[in-house]
Amino acid sequence: MSSSRLDKPTPETVRTVALLAGGFAALAIVAQLFYVGVLQPLLPQSFEVDFSARALTSHIMATPSGLAAVGWVFVVLGAAAAIAAVLLSRSGSRGAYACGVLACIVMPGFVGSLLGNAYAAMDGDGGPSFAVIALIAGAAVGGFAIFFAFTLTGQRTSD
């Protein structure tokens, strides 16, 4: 009897996920620079940010510079995770895959959240729900990238 399943990631899959993590970290840096250079001056002095669709009654107020500062923290940590993934993937370390997956999920989610919250703040009508949808969409893009890394590198095996 044969079945098709996903095994542990092969070294090729780990390298692919690490490279995807590097690409998503680079995308996050570009999005952060776009926010700081273009969007931040257009935002109101104070606006509501949203990270959860369930807690709409608890408002989190932010300033454009505060969101930029938090963004730089995310970008630096995401870039460090992506660099670690790439470096560890060369030595075959198990931590490479974990760092790569973390960066692949968090960095596109960060980009969605950053740009979604900025758009909602500028539009006023988009509301916080748009920011949550953008966050979820970004994280989903990262998840799909990991899934496609498995399928593109031939991870499917039959027993």
Side-chain angles (χ1 to χ4, degrees):
M1 180 169 159
S2 74
S3 66
S4 183
R5 63 182 175 87
L6 290 176
D7 281 335
K8 293 187 319 186
T10 63
E12 184 181 346
T13 302
V14 172
R15 282 191 298 275
T16 303
V17 170
L19 291 175
L20 286 169
F24 284 129
L27 174 69
I29 291 169
V30 169
Q32 179 69 15
L33 290 171
F34 177 72
Y35 171 79
V36 170
V38 177
L39 298 178
Q40 185 178 355
L42 302 174
L43 294 175
Q45 293 299 314
S46 179
F47 57 90
E48 180 185 348
V49 295
D50 191 42
F51 300 103
S52 169
R54 294 191 299 175
L56 290 177
T57 57
S58 60
H59 304 290
I60 301 172
M61 297 305 290
T63 62
S65 59
L67 189 59
V70 170
W72 284 117
V73 170
F74 270 93
V75 165
V76 168
L77 291 175
I83 291 169
V86 170
L87 294 176
L88 291 173
S89 71
R90 292 181 180 186
S91 66
S93 172
R94 289 179 151 199
Y97 187 67
C99 288
V101 166
L102 178 69
C104 281
I105 298 294
V106 172
M107 298 318 314
F110 162 74
V111 170
S113 177
L114 178 72
L115 299 179
N117 277 305
Y119 174 77
M122 284 190 299
D123 186 35
D125 250 358
S129 62
F130 178 78
V132 172
I133 291 169
L135 171 83
I136 293 168
V141 165
F144 285 127
I146 295 166
F147 173 76
F148 286 120
F150 265 91
T151 58
L152 291 176
T153 57
Q155 274 298 114
R156 293 223 175 254
T157 62
S158 58
D159 294 10

